[in-house]
Structures are given as C-alpha cells and as structure tokens.
Amino acid sequence: MTQPLRSLITEATALSVAGRGLRRYKMGPAVIGAGTGATVVIVEPGDHPGVSGVQDATNVLLRGDRIPDLHPRFDFRGTLPIHLFARLDQGCLPLGTALCRGRPSAPADFDHAALELDQPLGREMLDAVRPVPAPGPVPDVGWVDHVETDPIRALETFVLGWFPAEQTKPAEEERTASEPGDLPPALTAFHRLARLRPALHGFHDPVLEQPERVPGPLGDRLVFAVMHGASMDWSIPWPPEGPSATDPRVWHTEDPRTANPETTLEDEPLSRFLLQFTLYQAMNAAPYHARTYCTPTPRLDPL
C-alpha cells in the first residue's frame, strides 16, 4: 500500500482540534471530541457497511448508543466545523471537514449521523482507511445456466449457494402445519428453501410465509407476495386450473384494498417470477451496489 497523502498525528493531537473544554464520547467504534472550537470524529478503518466508519469516498457514518448532548453538534451547516480522522496503526489520518446530511430530529433519539466530506477522498486515502481485503471464496454462478430451462432449479441453486445456513443442524424440509397444501411446485419449492435459508423471509418485501386467499373481480386468488406496505401484491388464481395449473400465471394488483384495484398480468409464470422476485430483493438487500447509466449496446442483448 502506498503512503497516505497526509501526515499521521496522535489521537491527542487530533482531539485538540476541538479546542478548549474538550468532552470525549464513544459512538460505536468511533470517538467524538466536542470542544469550543470544533467537533472531532475519529473512526476506525475497515470496510463495514452500516457501522460507524468511512462508507465510501464521500460518506462517513456514525452509529451507536444515544448521546443527546451531541445532537446540536451535528446540525446541517452548524456553527462549529466537523473534522474527521481515521485511526490507523501509526496514528490518526486527517480526512478533512464534513457536513451533516442526516440525523434524528429529536435530541433524545440521536444515535446516528450521516456525514459528507467537503472534499472526496482520493484513491490513496481511501485505500488507507478501507484497505482492500485479500480475495476469499465467492459463491458459484452456475445457477445462471438453469434460468432458461429450469427456473425452479435455478432458484434452488442460487439460494442454497448464496445464502448461508443459519442453523447448526439441517432445517426440516417437510411442510409445516401452518402452510397451505396443494401449492404449485414453484411456490412449494420456495417455502422449502425459506426453511433452509430463513434469510429469504428477512427481505424488505419478502414472499409471505402464509399466502392469503382473497376474492377479487377476476375470481378467487392466492396472494403470495406484497410490496410497499401492501400497496401492491402478486397472486395466482386459486385454485389453479387448466393447462397452466402447475406453473400458473401471476397477477400484479395495484392498491388491492381499494374499491377499483388495477390488476395486470405479469410476463412470466410463477416459477420464473419467483426467481426474478428473489433476485430483485437480494439485490436491494446487498451491502454494495453497482450501477451504470451507459451500457454498451453489445451487452444489452445478453442481459
């Protein structure tokens, strides 16, 4: 690793930037110094999403126990500057000054703050406070080979390969008494996977553990997933009938609790929809996201 661009200083020197009347606090792994001249924040190095520390080249997060006394220190464009440092092995590395972009509105609730550096960190600085870890094992992507021909197998391979088992003994694979019987194969497979990998029910908008049978203008249906506080849902005809009974089509309903809900047919049958839905939820729950707004045309067709 190359040398940091700025000289390292001791923690005492970093805290002295706060000025006279220094009061020292701990918020998670971060140390905060409050003085008459400034607020000093010293964070630990490392790559820990959601934990106090440098999140990327611009953003620094504070999170920990409630400290009401610090609330006025983290006002947007407050009267006192906020100086950021990262504690390294040989001392504290100055990161620059920052603005507070987010905090609880009530002093009694002050347990986190989102800080934005006035000057983004360069690559050398970022590598110093978030050292690149040694490569480790990565999940297999063989599930992609089954997407076109066997979406249920693709779902099983993805879930079992990408989500760790959370129990010390194998989970029970049989259906529990609280789950409805006679579900289509794709939904049965999903519930079996959720028993083996409970993280599937930890998504922000998960597939329901207990699908709900409801009436509607198109006939009875079985709601198996909801989103945005039940402002929309997905369902299948219930009971499934006809040639598509084993892999029924999926209905998407907007505002299902209103007098005139809008219902449309999804492009994919249940097996492929559950795979898409799970991938979408997993993507949103991931600690890191990669986006592009300019995709080369040759890459679009495979996607």
Side-chain angles (χ1 to χ4, degrees), residues 54-183:
V54 177
Q55 305 295 294
D56 54 40
T58 303
N59 299 293
V60 176
L61 176 66
L62 289 178
R63 177 167 290 163
D65 296 332
R66 295 178 182 177
I67 309 178
D69 290 350
L70 287 177
H71 186 267
R73 294 263 171 178
F74 292 91
D75 192 12
F76 177 68
R77 295 191 184 279
T79 56
L80 296 178
I82 300 173
H83 293 266
L84 296 180
F85 298 83
R87 182 185 288 105
L88 304 182
D89 291 338
Q90 304 300 320
C92 293
L93 175 65
L95 304 182
T97 56
L99 295 175
C100 182
R101 291 292 187 179
R103 62 165 188 176
S105 57
D109 296 331
F110 183 75
D111 61 357
H112 68 274
L115 309 179
E116 182 180 294
L117 287 161
D118 293 326
Q119 294 292 328
L121 300 178
R123 172 51 58 188
E124 192 174 8
M125 292 278 286
L126 194 58
D127 285 346
V129 298
R130 291 182 53 176
V132 179
V138 296
D140 184 66
V141 295
W143 61 271
V144 176
D145 297 334
H146 307 296
V147 170
E148 292 293 336
T149 58
D150 193 344
I152 295 179
R153 184 180 178 187
L155 176 64
E156 291 175 339
T157 307
F158 170 68
V159 170
L160 296 178
W162 284 67
F163 293 89
E166 300 178 19
Q167 299 176 345
T168 56
K169 60 181 180 180
E172 178 60 56
E173 294 196 23
E174 295 299 324
R175 181 178 64 87
T176 62
S178 62
E179 294 175 8
D182 302 323
L183 292 176

Side-chain angles (χ1 to χ4, degrees), residues 178-193:
S178 62
E179 294 175 8
D182 302 323
L183 292 176
L187 204 50
T188 297
F190 184 92
H191 285 291
R192 179 182 64 83
L193 289 169

